Amino acid sequence: MRRAIIPLPKPPFPNPTMSASLMWFRKGLRIHDNPALQHASTGSSFVYPVFVIDPHYMKPDPDAFSPGSKLAGLNRIRFMLESLVDLDSSLKKLGSKLLVLNGEPGEVLIRCLKEWDVKSLCFEYDTDPYYQALDARVKDYASSAGIEVFSPVSHTLFNPGAIIQKNGGKPPLTYQSFLKLAGEPSWASSPLSTSMSSLPPVGDVGNFACEISEVPTIKELGFGEVELDEWTPFRGGESEALKRLRESISDKKWVANFEKPKGDPSAFVKPATTVLSPYLKFGCLSSRYFYQCLQEVYKDVQKHTSPPVSLAGQLLWRDFFYTVAFGTPNFDRMKENKICKQIPWNDDDELLAAWREARTGYPWIDAIMVQLRKWGWMHHLARHCVACFLTRGDLFVHWEKGRDVFERLLIDSDWAINNGNWMWLSCSSFFYQYNRIYSPISFGKKYDPNGNYIRHFLPVLKDMPKEYIYEPWTAPKSVQTKAKCIIGRDYPKPVVSHDSASKECKRKLGEAYALSQKLNGRVTEEDLANLRQKLEQDKAQEPKNKRQKR
């Protein structure tokens, strides 16, 4: 990564009364409603606004299944860099500047605290396990060095720890119980600080000057001259977030009538939702400010939808998942996760790859996966369809495998919400009606009978008549020839028969649920292995003509 020495204005000659604060940005890439930044700038002579490029998330990985690092695809990395450029621009307008450093964040931060004689360290509280461990280490050093630490909760509407404490030390496991415990946010009727007139100047960076860079480009991060065939149409940054928010809430009728899970998952020219989730993920938009804006709209209309289906309800779902994730050990895996059903998922890498690479032979599923790869985003109902298809609907592949693909490719990938939704959609936790399956054929057809969404993201099928576009394998050979798309050559045959595969998935889940009930949820790895063996034996004993075809 190229290093550029940043010219910084020389601070006034230091005196004993001058103090310096360090504002450590991670999420919370914004100026509005940023109590950590507000605190850092109050009473300080200098403020060091720091962002650390963390190799854990950003180191290029040539072996990953898509361009990017080990954990993040290029769409999300690019979105984050755009957010940093926007943040730097906002800081400059306030008389400051973003200082970008590179390395293991704990080591970098501790060195900054030592060399810059910082008296106060400020950063937004983060519940993710990775940051919990990192923050504990940095706080320990700061405490031993007599440095004040200010780490407010401002990424969520509520403090997840306080909700858990209120519930006797356990997270509430249903949305309704969460709402009852949470009540109204304490800050809801108080004005939030949505702007700043200025910031104290950046202090003397000393020997760090040669290591501080401008916000790097994709190429400077070591990803080379990577050109995706289509970048995400959504640009990062607080400015874009606030613009999108204004556009969303300007249509008061739409806000008042918003009702999830309704909405058109096939709408892509103008998505049928706010697309504010990436901005909330990176903290370019304050969820608290969004919540207050919604409350203002609700006051101005005669009636509106309510949680769980309203827009405000979606913000509360976000907090619900954050709270459960924070209070549940091993939330991101099936094993040793007390709230997760133990299910003998298939370990089929070929089926996983077919799903990930949009080769399932089901155009609705494959088009969604192409949109995910190209845009890093798709409608929530589209996410439901492909997650169900991979897990309990058709392929019976482990939800953790799908979670990893979403974690990499989504620009709004959020640790708590991603894991929570995958457990929900695989019927591993929260939701247990495994007989309700999204059809990979009829569900999309309901919204888009002509198949325009499929034609856009799967151009190989653009000339397929609408009668066959959701099931192209049923088209006569003459129709396939005229459409210039021979199934099995130009576009794959289905990897499974949906009817038989879904029945098999239901049977397996029924057996897994029954075992869990019998053992009172205490299912061991040995129990799972025995169940897997039983399921395979049962299948082997079925008449050959009833076996699931692949």
Side-chain angles (χ1 to χ4, degrees), residues 465-532:
K466 70 176 185 179
E467 308 95 278
Y468 302 109
I469 195 160
Y470 284 88
E471 303 172 86
W473 62 91
T474 65
K477 213 45 171 292
S478 59
V479 172
Q480 295 181 31
T481 302
K482 188 177 179 183
K484 300 183 286 294
C485 181
I486 304 300
I487 303 306
R489 185 191 73 189
D490 304 310
Y491 180 72
K493 295 177 181 178
V495 290
V496 293
S497 163
H498 171 63
D499 287 344
S500 56
S502 60
K503 286 175 186 173
E504 182 68 8
C505 285
K506 289 173 187 176
R507 184 177 74 85
K508 290 177 178 178
L509 278 164
E511 294 265 14
Y513 273 42
L515 179 64
S516 179
Q517 187 174 18
K518 178 183 173 183
L519 300 176
N520 199 25
R522 297 185 179 90
V523 179
T524 66
E525 286 190 68
E526 185 180 355
D527 295 326
L528 266 189
N530 290 337
L531 176 57
R532 188 175 281 110

Side-chain angles (χ1 to χ4, degrees), residues 125-181:
Y125 186 78
D126 197 316
T127 54
D128 288 9
Y130 176 76
Y131 283 105
Q132 283 283 299
L134 177 60
D135 294 356
R137 181 179 158 205
V138 174
K139 283 179 185 176
D140 284 348
Y141 171 79
S143 177
S144 67
I147 297 169
E148 177 208 22
V149 175
F150 182 71
S151 183
V153 174
S154 54
H155 189 64
T156 48
L157 304 180
F158 298 93
N159 182 340
I163 300 285
I164 292 167
Q165 188 177 13
K166 208 173 179 180
N167 198 41
K170 294 180 180 179
L173 296 181
T174 68
Y175 182 77
Q176 291 302 329
S177 61
F178 168 80
L179 290 187
K180 190 175 179 182
L181 281 163

Side-chain angles (χ1 to χ4, degrees), residues 4-47:
I5 297 177
I6 294 182
L8 295 169
K10 279 287 182 185
F13 190 82
N15 67 57
T17 63
M18 288 185 168
S19 63
S21 295
L22 191 152
M23 174 62 203
W24 181 19
F25 286 99
R26 300 97 64 89
K27 296 172 188 172
L29 303 180
R30 65 179 184 274
I31 303 299
H32 76 279
D33 184 33
N34 194 330
L37 180 62
Q38 196 82 33
H39 185 86
S41 63
T42 303
S44 295
S45 305
F46 309 112
V47 173

